[in-house]
């Protein structure tokens, strides 16, 4: 492995992000290259320096402010689409009820019409229209 | 909090449970705010972007399918916000704000911390937004390269190259600053 390629892999080596094969190849190069070994030490020292900076403290009440905005948006969405879930559930229930009522009415009225009214063949025969099989 | 616990809270939040979402906010706000402070080097910007990230997360929660962890998804939203904001930003004076809300150090330590903060500010300032993000996610957040790739919407090979460039630029800046300090 040449220095150019090894240097690109040094960040991966520092972060333990290399595959076993890549790791082995970089380590073999480092064993023979003082310059790249020195660079690796410096990169590690730079990372250590950055880590010395204390973690930023979360401003007091940040979560409360975030949740106030989330609640506000949630409430506004509910006003724009009032009870979207309830409405869609109610719509679905209403559709099922309507279909059921339609089927029931169709069945009942169908039976009633079939039971009380003469058939088409009987009506035609009553008006003197000859219909095969009517009145037999 | 484990990814499983996050997953359960996310499912409850997706069903509209605000208390579950609040648990997620309290759990992740520290890392997210820390990340945004470190890339932007500005506490007020970081606070605003943290708030915006969680609001966007709430708005987009229905679309979260759990392919990446919730944490990585938050970093993705935050990184997009930061990079967009950085690209619109006009050059400003270097920021030397001390991140700590209250002074916690003895005067000598505080002076050293400020000097260190100033040095890091100046070193990071020279980096483009994407390199800065990759470096902070790697060094401070200790994300793996594939997690960084997911958080930045990049391939792992592209993240390796970003980190290589970022670390070499940082190396040069820190050397320059050390030379300045010694002259």
């Amino acid at each position: 492995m040449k220095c150019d390629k090894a240097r690109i892999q040094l960040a991966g080596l520092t972060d333990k992000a290399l595959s076993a094969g890549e790791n082995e190849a970089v380590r073999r190069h480092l064993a023979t290259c003082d310059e790249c070994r020195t660079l690796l030490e410096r990169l590690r020292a730079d990372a250590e320096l950055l880590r010395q900076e204390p973690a930023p403290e979360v401003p007091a009440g940040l979560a409360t402010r975030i949740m106030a905005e989330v609640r506000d948006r949630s409430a506004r969405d509910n006003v724009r689409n009032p009870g979207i879930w309830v409405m869609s559930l109610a719509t679905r229930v209403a559709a099922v009820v309507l279909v059921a009522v339609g089927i029931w009415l169709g069945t009942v009225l169908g039976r009633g019409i079939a039971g009380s009214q003469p058939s088409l063949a009987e009506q035609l025969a009553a008006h003197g229209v000859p219909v095969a099989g009517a009145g037999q | 909090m484990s990814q499983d616990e996050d997953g359960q809270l996310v499912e409850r939040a997706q069903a509209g449970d605000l208390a579950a979402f609040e648990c997620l906010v309290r759990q992740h706000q520290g890392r997210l705010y820390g990340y945004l402070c470190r890339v932007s080097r500005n506490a007020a910007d970081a606070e605003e972007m943290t708030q915006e990230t969680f609001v966007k997360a709430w708005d987009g929660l229905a679309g979260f399918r759990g392919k990446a962890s919730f944490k990585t998804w938050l970093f993705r939203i935050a990184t997009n916000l930061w990079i967009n904001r950085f690209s619109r930003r006009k050059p400003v004076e270097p920021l030397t704000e001390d991140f700590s809300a209250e002074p916690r150090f003895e005067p000598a330590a505080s002076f050293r911390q400020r000097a260190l903060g100033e040095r890091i500010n100046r070193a990071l300032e020279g980096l483009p937004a994407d390199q800065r993000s990759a470096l902070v996610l790697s060094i401070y957040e200790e994300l793996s390269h594939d997690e960084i790739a997911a958080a930045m919407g990049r391939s792992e090979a592209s993240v390796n190259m970003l980190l290589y460039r970022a670390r070499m630029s940082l190396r040069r800046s820190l050397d320059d600053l050390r030379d300045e300090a010694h002259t």
Side-chain angles (χ1 to χ4, degrees):
Chain A
M1 182 182 274
K2 291 188 175 171
C3 288
D4 286 354
K5 192 172 176 196
R7 285 176 185 186
I8 294 173
Q9 304 278 31
L10 290 183
L13 187 70
T14 313
D15 300 338
K16 300 186 180 89
L18 299 183
S19 68
E22 289 168 330
N23 203 47
E24 183 53 37
V26 178
R27 286 192 184 281
R28 266 203 307 272
H29 174 80
L30 288 173
T32 61
C33 181
D34 287 347
E35 239 178 90
C36 285
R37 216 168 36 242
T38 305
L39 177 62
L40 176 64
E41 281 163 19
R42 285 187 175 167
L43 293 178
R44 283 182 171 153
D46 291 344
E48 273 315 303
L49 179 80
L50 262 60
R51 285 194 194 103
Q52 283 174 30
E53 191 182 39
E57 279 184 26
V58 177
L62 178 60
T64 308
R65 287 193 291 282
I66 291 168
M67 286 312 297
E69 189 170 345
V70 167
R71 284 198 178 89
D72 189 41
R73 290 174 80 89
S74 182
R76 264 187 283 148
D77 286 347
N78 287 343
V79 169
R80 270 201 296 269
N81 306 304
I84 186 161
W85 293 107
V86 177
M87 283 298 284
S88 75
L89 182 66
T91 308
R92 274 182 241 152
V93 169
V96 169
V97 168
L98 272 175
V99 169
V101 167
I103 290 170
W104 178 77
L105 273 176
T107 309
V108 169
L109 288 177
R111 268 197 219 129
I113 288 166
S116 61
Q117 288 190 353
S119 70
L120 180 63
E122 285 168 339
Q123 288 183 50
L124 289 172
H127 286 87
V129 179
V131 178
Q136 287 176 2
Chain B
M1 186 178 286
S2 70
Q3 273 195 39
D4 278 356
E5 286 169 298
D6 260 7
Q8 287 167 11
L9 288 170
V10 167
E11 276 181 26
R12 283 172 48 199
Q14 282 174 324
D17 184 341
L18 283 163
F21 190 72
E22 184 164 1
C23 286
L24 289 165
V25 170
R26 292 191 184 279
Q27 176 60 29
H28 293 284
Q29 61 169 346
R31 290 188 78 172
L32 209 56
Y33 174 75
Y35 164 63
L36 289 165
C37 254
R38 283 175 161 139
V39 289
S40 69
R41 317 303 296 171
N42 182 303
D45 278 355
E47 184 174 347
E48 204 181 303
M49 286 191 285
T50 305
Q51 188 155 342
E52 212 176 325
T53 299
F54 279 113
V55 169
K56 277 185 182 290
W58 171 256
D59 286 346
L61 206 54
F64 175 68
R65 297 274 172 263
K67 267 174 73 183
S69 69
F70 184 69
K71 177 189 78 179
T72 307
W73 187 61
L74 286 177
F75 276 124
R76 175 90 185 252
I77 298 171
T79 301
N80 286 340
L81 274 174
W82 146 243
I83 289 177
N84 284 340
R85 184 175 286 220
F86 182 86
S87 62
R88 289 197 311 264
R89 198 173 71 168
K90 290 176 184 159
V92 291
E93 286 296 304
L95 295 157
T96 56
E97 187 161 357
D98 185 355
F99 290 145
S100 305
E102 290 172 22
R104 291 181 303 166
F105 305 103
E106 293 302 311
S110 177
F111 176 77
R112 276 202 302 275
Q113 291 295 346
R114 282 212 186 91
L116 173 69
E118 170 65 11
R119 204 170 156 203
I120 294 173
N121 274 344
R122 291 180 62 187
L124 289 180
E125 251 173 16
L127 299 181
D130 54 356
Q131 288 184 25
R132 222 187 280 188
S133 282
L135 193 72
V136 170
L137 289 171
S138 166
I139 289 181
Y140 293 104
E141 300 304 327
E142 298 183 335
L143 261 56
S144 66
H145 286 203
D146 61 326
E147 284 176 312
I148 298 173
M152 297 189 70
R154 303 278 192 111
S155 69
E156 217 175 312
S158 144
V159 165
N160 289 344
M161 189 52 79
L162 271 182
L163 281 170
Y164 165 68
R165 290 187 177 138
R167 283 174 194 259
M168 295 306 285
S169 298
L170 185 74
R171 175 94 294 282
R172 283 190 293 274
S173 303
L174 290 174
D175 271 348
D176 291 349
L177 291 169
R178 192 173 49 210
D179 291 347
E180 266 179 41
H182 289 167
T183 53

